[in-house]
Amino acid sequence: MPKVGMPPLRRKALINAAISAIGDRGSLDVTMTEIANRAGVSSALAHHYFGAKDDLIQATMRHLLTDLGRDAVGALNAAETPRDRVTAIIRVNFAVGQFRPEVVHAWLAFYVEAQKSAPLRRLLRVYSRRLYSNLMSGLIDLVPRPEAERMAEAIAAMIDGLYIRRALRDGLPRPLTAAALVEDYVETKLRMLAAS
């Protein structure tokens, strides 16, 4: 007889194992057996919970998006000013839990795989829209809408670029350093707009 409450724990263990395996490999070229072994369960049980590997990969990406979304909502709720809202979103994206090497590698692998996987592409669109919307929630009260839109796109591109640099181990930006680079851009842009 199965233990009560085990399915959610096993699902979570498999998702964490998938993040770890993808992070170590640097790609989605991992097997269900490898993931199951890392989670301490049989391959058959992994297939029971998720079906095919693609289903587990999609669940893993949804999990990362859910974690990021939860952290963003908490940070936005704590923000007192529009400028604080922008800072909150930048910091959330570079929080220690989000900017761990294995998570960064998983995101990079998802970006690559999304070029040929419609479900992953849809999930990445959700992420992009949410990031843009969260940034706009602060920027729209700081600068005219066209500038806010440009700044939101630039901030999002900087965040993605710093994730790529982290994944490639090029300079290994630390979370605080990465957030500071993006904040420098925001402050410089706001000063330029205020002076014009």
Side-chain angles (χ1 to χ4, degrees):
M1 169 132 342
K3 294 181 182 176
V4 175
M6 286 306 289
L9 294 175
R10 286 192 175 132
R11 285 178 180 274
K12 178 88 165 92
L14 284 161
I15 287 170
N16 288 337
I19 293 168
S20 173
I22 293 165
D24 285 351
R25 187 74 51 91
S27 77
L28 299 183
D29 187 26
V30 293
T31 66
M32 198 69 146
T33 300
E34 181 182 348
I35 294 168
N37 287 342
R38 284 178 187 247
V41 301
S42 70
S43 180
L45 194 57
H47 283 287
H48 169 73
Y49 285 121
F50 290 102
K53 182 181 95 170
D54 287 349
D55 298 324
L56 174 55
I57 297 301
Q58 289 172 40
T60 301
M61 189 167 177
R62 278 192 296 277
H63 171 78
L64 291 175
L65 283 168
T66 299
D67 280 357
L68 183 60
R70 182 195 61 238
D71 292 350
V73 167
L76 288 172
N77 287 339
E80 296 179 5
T81 67
R83 180 66 180 90
D84 290 344
R85 291 177 73 78
V86 176
T87 293
I89 294 305
I90 293 168
R91 287 186 181 163
V92 161
N93 278 276
F94 295 112
V96 173
Q98 296 295 334
F99 209 52
R100 294 187 332 258
E102 65 273 16
V103 173
V104 170
H105 283 105
W107 274 108
L108 189 59
F110 291 140
Y111 267 94
V112 171
E113 189 66 21
Q115 302 309 306
K116 54 188 174 189
S117 166
L120 290 182
R121 193 165 38 255
R122 279 192 297 277
L123 290 172
L124 279 175
R125 280 194 201 113
V126 167
Y127 157 74
S128 294
R129 287 184 192 132
R130 190 181 296 160
L131 176 58
Y132 180 82
S133 174
N134 287 337
L135 289 167
M136 286 295 289
S137 75
L139 291 168
I140 198 70
D141 293 325
L142 297 172
V143 297
R145 184 169 196 86
E147 286 299 330
E149 290 171 350
R150 279 192 286 277
M151 285 182 71
E153 287 295 332
I155 293 166
M158 289 181 76
I159 290 169
D160 289 346
L162 288 163
Y163 265 72
I164 291 169
R165 289 192 67 179
R166 174 73 181 216
L168 298 175
R169 294 180 176 92
D170 185 11
L172 283 174
R174 292 176 304 144
L176 290 177
T177 305
L181 285 170
V182 181
E183 285 288 345
D184 283 349
Y185 161 77
V186 173
E187 277 303 308
T188 300
K189 189 73 172 171
L190 290 175
R191 276 196 303 271
M192 286 173 49
L193 292 169
S196 61

